[in-house]
Amino acid sequence: MATFNGELYIFDQLQSILKQLSHEDEVIISDDSSTDSTVAIINSFNDERIKLFENQKFKSAVLNFQFTLYQAKGDYVFLADQDDVWLSDRVSTMLEHLQQHKLVVCNCKFIDEKGFSLHPKSFFNIYNSGPGVIKNFVKNTYIGNCMAFNRDILNFALPFPKAIDFYPNIDHGMWIGILVNVFYTADFIPSILVLYRRHDKNVSPTNIEGKSPYSLKIKVLSRFSLGFYLLQRALSHAFKKIH
């Protein structure tokens, strides 16, 4: 989890996560120099499973997330946003699916800042979510805060290419999802396991209409750059597997 000024929602999110974990699990949090009470709220849990890295200076949600992934030690990695809520069976359900797939994505429901539903349809219904390299390259449906994957995925997904931090319409979830899908099968679980909170301070551009707010120029340039880095990383990974 990457945090920044998340005091309004971080307590509920951490509470929803911790009650699903075993004593051997860990919650890695990197805080990007929050100026509110985010860090104090995290510390108030006094839970040894929480590994908090304070006073980071990334000024970037993508780079902050990348740092947390470099700290991961477990066999399975779950991505979490600071302002969502995990439903009670997210971990158990996704772990079951991870026995057959390298990466899984669960469905989610849009909620507002007070926790009320924003749309009668789920994310999968609105975005027509599903696996496929070309499908997601054209219109991405890999949503980072609903993803979980085997640890070995980090060996070729990291580091993130610069384009992920430069273009606002591509992110780490899209990068990891499509890259994994080049080599392995990805599983989309239709069950709603996350409440995806949207409010006026969200970093990600995801909206409940399923439409991109960006210009054609940004879309073309970002896809060209993403395609270059995907090809480069895929060839590098394939070469390492051969040798």
Side-chain angles (χ1 to χ4, degrees):
M1 181 190 296
T3 60
F4 174 70
N5 288 350
E7 64 179 3
L8 293 179
Y9 313 110
I10 188 68
F11 182 87
D12 288 345
Q13 171 66 315
L14 270 179
Q15 190 175 56
S16 74
I17 293 172
L18 289 168
K19 63 186 179 182
Q20 300 187 48
L21 305 184
S22 72
H23 294 296
E24 291 75 34
D25 293 324
E26 60 182 1
V27 179
I28 300 170
I29 304 174
S30 176
D31 186 76
D32 204 355
S33 299
S34 289
T35 56
D36 63 3
S37 61
T38 297
V39 170
I41 293 172
I42 295 170
N43 286 328
S44 72
F45 280 86
N46 194 28
D47 194 311
E48 294 182 353
R49 294 171 295 179
I50 297 176
K51 314 298 183 190
L52 175 62
F53 296 85
E54 300 180 45
N55 302 314
Q56 303 300 320
K57 308 293 183 182
F58 297 114
K59 299 187 184 301
S60 162
V62 171
L63 297 180
N64 200 21
F65 248 118
Q66 177 174 260
F67 177 81
T68 67
L69 293 176
Y70 273 121
Q71 315 311 312
K73 298 177 182 178
D75 294 329
Y76 302 102
V77 179
F78 285 69
L79 302 186
D81 283 355
Q82 65 180 5
D83 41 14
D84 295 343
V85 176
W86 287 15
L87 297 184
S88 60
D89 52 350
R90 175 181 179 178
V91 172
S92 60
T93 301
M94 297 188 80
L95 281 177
E96 181 180 346
H97 285 255
L98 280 169
Q99 306 312 304
Q100 289 82 39
H101 301 274
K102 291 286 187 180
L103 179 145
V104 295
V105 185
C106 70
N107 202 353
C108 62
K109 190 94 171 174
F110 287 108
I111 61 171
D112 64 15
E113 64 274 8
K114 295 182 179 180
F116 295 112
S117 176
L118 283 172
H119 202 289
K121 294 183 179 180
S122 71
F123 182 93
F124 282 15
N125 294 140
I126 297 170
Y127 279 80
N128 189 29
S129 300
V133 175
I134 302 300
K135 168 188 172 65
N136 286 284
F137 186 82
V138 175
K139 183 177 181 179
N140 177 54
T141 63
Y142 280 106
I143 179 170
N145 59 314
C146 292
M147 290 172 56
F149 44 85
N150 290 335
R151 175 185 167 77
D152 56 7
I153 296 304
L154 297 179
N155 295 332
F156 69 101
L158 295 176
F160 295 148
K162 292 181 180 180
I164 304 302
D165 193 38
F166 183 78
Y167 289 104
N169 60 326
I170 53 179
D171 61 14
H172 55 283
M174 182 180 186
W175 165 255
I176 295 172
I178 296 178
L179 186 59
V180 170
N181 216 170
V182 171
F183 293 97
Y184 308 104
T185 60
D187 189 25
F188 281 69
I189 306 170
S191 302
I192 296 172
L193 303 177
V194 172
L195 299 181
Y196 187 17
R197 197 186 304 270
R198 308 308 294 162
H199 50 84
D200 59 1
K201 294 183 180 180
N202 284 123
V203 174
S204 67
T206 308
N207 58 66
I208 62 174
E209 290 81 25
K211 299 178 181 180
S212 172
Y214 300 105
S215 67
L216 179 61
K217 180 180 178 180
I218 291 294
K219 293 177 184 177
V220 172
L221 289 175
S222 64
R223 290 310 191 272
F224 179 82
S225 183
L226 178 63
F228 170 80
Y229 284 112
L230 283 169
L231 180 61
Q232 183 185 61
R233 192 65 60 88
L235 291 174
S236 175
H237 181 63
F239 180 81
K240 290 178 181 179
K241 289 181 70 175
I242 293 173
H243 294 80

